[in-house]
């Protein structure tokens, strides 16, 4: 199991409705993959802690990096974990 903590900036023009859709779809997708975590948003800044099985976590994070709704994706922390903090 691994944990990644990253921050990013929402792309210009990403309104509240689109942000809600992004969070909703991410939650459904992550849950289906067995990933957990927390997402914080202030204005156009995002911080996410994402936890789960290593290969699923890396595949999901690769998708996040390529998502045009995120700019300046920066990994702040990435480590192996024994169990998730946010089940």
């Amino acid at each position: 199991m691994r944990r990644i903590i990253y921050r990013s900036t929402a792309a210009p023009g990403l309104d509240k409705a689109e942000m809600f859709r992004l969070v909703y779809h991410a939650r459904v997708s992550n849950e289906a993959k067995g990933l957990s975590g927390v997402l914080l948003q202030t204005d156009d800044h995002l911080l996410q802690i994402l936890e789960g099985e290593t290969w699923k976590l890396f595949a999901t994070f690769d998708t996040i990096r390529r998502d045009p709704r995120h700019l300046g994706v920066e990994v702040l922390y990435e480590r192996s974990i024994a169990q998730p903090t946010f089940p």
Side-chain angles (χ1 to χ4, degrees), residues 19-37 39 48 50 56 60 69:
M19 180 62 75
F20 180 79
R21 281 190 291 279
L22 173 104
V23 170
Y24 175 79
H25 290 293
R27 185 179 204 178
V28 170
S29 176
N30 290 346
E31 198 171 285
K33 295 173 190 168
L35 300 176
S36 62
L39 175 66
Q48 184 169 28
L50 197 54
K56 291 179 183 180
T60 299
R69 297 172 293 186

